[in-house]
Every structure is written in C-alpha cells, then in structure tokens.
Amino acid sequence: MSAPSRRAVLGAAPLVAIAGSAGAQDRAPDIMVSTWNFGAAANAAGWAARQEGGSALDMVEAGGRVAEADESNTSVGLGGLPDRDGRVTLDACVMTWAGDIGAVCALEDVVHAVSVARRVMERTPHTMLVGPGASAFALDQGFETQNLLTPRAETAWREWLKTADYAPRPNSENADWRGTPGGPGNHDTIGLLAIGADQRMAGACTTSGMAFKMAGRVGDSPIIGAGLYVDDEVGGATATGVGEDVVRVAGSHSVVEAMRHGLDPTAACRSVIERLARLRGTKVVASQVALLALDKSGRSGAFALQPGFTYAVTDAAGRTRIERAGALFA
Ligand code: ASP
C-alpha cells in the first residue's frame, strides 16, 4: 500500500465499504489475532486452550498470560518498564460476547493482570478496580505477589533518569516518536481477539503502559471501547500505541462500529486512524497508534499511523502467520 502524503491524509474523506482482501477466500477463517510478533506465542496458547475445549475468553486469557510472563517483553507484565518513580503498574481488561467486562488499572506486584481483570468481571459486582484496590482484590483472590521490576527494566529506568526531561505533556508532542513512549522501542501492549469453537467472541488487552509514564497514568488498554471492544454481532477490535490518542477516538469501539456499517476489518481500522489524523492534525504525525480487528466471519485486518505494526493471525486450521499493517505515514 503506498503511503499518502500527510496533507492528503488529513483532508481525506471517510472510506466506503470495500470487499475482503485478496486471497482471504482461500484460507480457513481467522479465529485469533494478537498484536505484534510475540502474538504468535500468545496465539499458540490460545489455540491450545481451544483444543482443550476452552472458550474464546479462555483463549485470550491464555494468550495474554504468555505475554505477561515473558520477561523479554518490556511493556507487558513481568519485565515491563516502570513508571517515572520506578514502579511497574499493570493495566488490563477483558470483554466477552455477552458484554461482560472486567478491568484493572495500576495493578502492582501481580503478574497476570488479565486474569485479575477476568476475576473482577466474574466475582465482583463491578467492572473496574484500580490501584491499591485492584492489588488487594488480587491478593484476596489468591494471586501470588512478586517483584515485577526486573534488573533489565530497572537498569533501563535508571538510564532514563539520567537524561529524562519529562515535562507532563502529551507524548504526541514529542519530536521523535521513535524514542518516546508509543514508539516501536517501547510499546508492546498485547491485545487479543478470539472466536471460540462455539463461534462466540472475546477479547483481552494487557500492558504495563507507556514506559516511564507519570505515576497514576492510565492509557487506553484497560478502557473498554478504547483499548478493546467486542460485539458478538459484528466483531472485535483492540489497540496499541499512544493510549492518549486511542482514547480520543474511542479507538476499538469506533472500529467495531465501522465494521457494523459495512467496512471490512482493515478498512474499519483505517477509517479510525484517518479520523484521528483529521481530528489531531500535526499533533499525531509523530505518534504511533495501531488498531487490529477480527470480524465475526473470520476476517482480520489492521492499520496504523506509523509503519512497523505487525500482528499474529491464527486460522481455524491452527496455522499462524505474521501480518504487517499498512500505515498512514510511511
Ligand atoms: N497503549 C498502551 C498505553 O497507552 C501502550 C502501548 O501500546 O504502547 O498504555
């Protein structure tokens, strides 16, 4: 896909419905998608859960837990880069085909935030717990505690402290997105969408958020409608990148609504990225936001502001491929 000029993008008209991507008819329907290359390992766990009779919710939880336990992933769970005060705080949410939702924000010392979010959904009358309340609930539910700040993450934080000029301003105003939160070096949120053997859908999103964020900052990832949305009539969507910008356009919900009105997953993601670009103009030309969608018929697609966003797709035959999303700003 050739990249349009920024001027053309910012003035672009909304997309109209288009047919599915070429070759998609030759494949088994897609049943699970996850953000980034490491989504392949998450999808493998999701596929295994499905083979064992698990639901779509079991699939996305299993996948999220793989990323959370992966120490090499610096923006999810164990090994996540801390906030500016050196504390690793996790955000996560889940959503099911039935509209059941659960979320945690700023969870500390418990690695599997996605599972705590599921417990919030299943075992409380609420939909979101934050900070000490989330951590206390996790302990009450029997989750084990551990120090999530790995030596590698602590070293990175101490290095950042030496040079940090962290005025509280939107990251999208930083000059070089490649070196800032939301750039490819430090965003790895995992968003997952799955269709179970019963054809019901679910999704999950789990992250440690932006590296070196202000204490208390929450982005898009645990916010239903922003970092994740699932509508069993239509499909689901999830987001990664600068959460502040995803929230502005209710990114995931907007993608689902675009699919409801006839766009395929790629076109739906693109329409919301273009909407964000029109809304924010030059404020997002240095920012990264990527949207990923899976519709009920088993078509997947994605689109991003900047190039480089990849995602893992597993089809109903259990084959996983890595796809590269198109981007507005090449
Ligand atoms: N979306 C995440 C957040 O804003 C971070 C990321 O995906 O890089 O917290």
Side-chain angles (χ1 to χ4, degrees):
M1 183 178 306
S2 64
S5 69
R6 290 177 184 183
R7 179 188 294 270
V9 164
L10 298 179
L15 289 177
V16 295
I18 59 174
S21 58
Q25 303 88 334
D26 305 331
R27 288 198 296 262
D30 298 330
I31 52 116
M32 186 164 183
V33 295
S34 300
T35 53
W36 305 108
N37 287 3
F38 55 71
N43 284 13
W47 174 259
R50 196 184 205 247
Q51 295 300 98
E52 288 160 15
S55 65
L57 181 61
D58 295 327
M59 293 169 70
V60 294
E61 181 186 10
R65 289 173 64 96
V66 168
E68 288 171 339
D70 178 359
E71 213 178 307
S72 69
N73 184 326
T74 56
S75 194
V76 181
L78 182 66
L81 292 169
D83 67 15
R84 61 194 303 184
D85 299 332
R87 293 163 71 162
V88 180
T89 62
L90 306 183
D91 303 330
C93 69
V94 296
M95 183 165 189
T96 75
W97 63 273
D100 291 322
I101 57 176
V104 287
C105 302
L107 176 73
E108 292 188 64
D109 303 323
V110 177
V111 67
H112 290 305
V114 69
S115 296
V116 183
R118 179 173 181 169
R119 292 284 178 94
V120 170
M121 179 181 81
E122 292 178 338
R123 304 209 184 157
T124 80
H126 309 304
T127 57
M128 178 182 281
L129 294 177
V130 306
S135 302
F137 171 71
L139 295 193
D140 190 53
Q141 289 291 309
F143 286 85
E144 288 179 7
T145 58
Q146 69 185 101
N147 178 13
L148 302 180
L149 183 65
T150 59
R152 180 180 174 221
E154 182 172 359
T155 300
W157 170 61
R158 293 198 182 284
E159 283 302 308
W160 175 82
L161 279 179
K162 289 180 192 163
T163 56
D165 168 24
Y166 201 102
R169 62 183 180 235
N171 286 295
S172 52
E173 289 178 9
N174 285 327
D176 181 3
W177 64 274
R178 289 168 183 80
T180 61
N186 56 15
H187 65 82
D188 289 325
T189 293
I190 189 160
L192 315 98
L193 303 162
I195 301 173
D198 60 358
Q199 299 306 307
R200 301 291 199 188
M201 289 195 78
C205 192
T206 177
T207 189
S208 55
M210 281 186 178
F212 318 130
K213 61 196 174 186
M214 293 176 71
R217 177 267 187 192
V218 174
D220 61 312
S221 303
I223 309 295
I224 296 295
L228 176 72
Y229 200 74
V230 172
D231 184 317
D232 208 52
E233 292 178 355
V234 176
T238 188
T240 183
V242 177
E244 284 76 357
D245 286 326
V246 178
V247 168
R248 290 179 214 290
V249 290
S252 294
H253 184 262
S254 296
V255 170
V256 170
E257 290 309 297
M259 292 195 293
R260 189 191 308 283
H261 290 100
L263 297 192
D264 74 32
T266 302
C269 292
R270 181 172 184 145
S271 73
V272 178
I273 292 291
E274 290 186 347
R275 165 73 185 125
L276 175 62
R278 290 197 304 278
L279 178 70
R280 298 296 283 170
T282 55
K283 291 179 181 160
V284 292
V285 295
S287 170
Q288 173 64 312
V289 168
L291 298 169
L292 170 63
L294 174 65
D295 77 9
K296 274 290 283 185
S297 66
R299 296 181 302 175
S300 60
F303 205 75
L305 280 174
Q306 313 292 343
F309 175 58
T310 60
Y311 56 103
V313 185
T314 299
D315 68 22
R319 291 179 299 240
T320 297
R321 62 187 191 276
I322 299 292
E323 299 269 4
R324 183 168 289 272
L328 278 190
F329 304 131

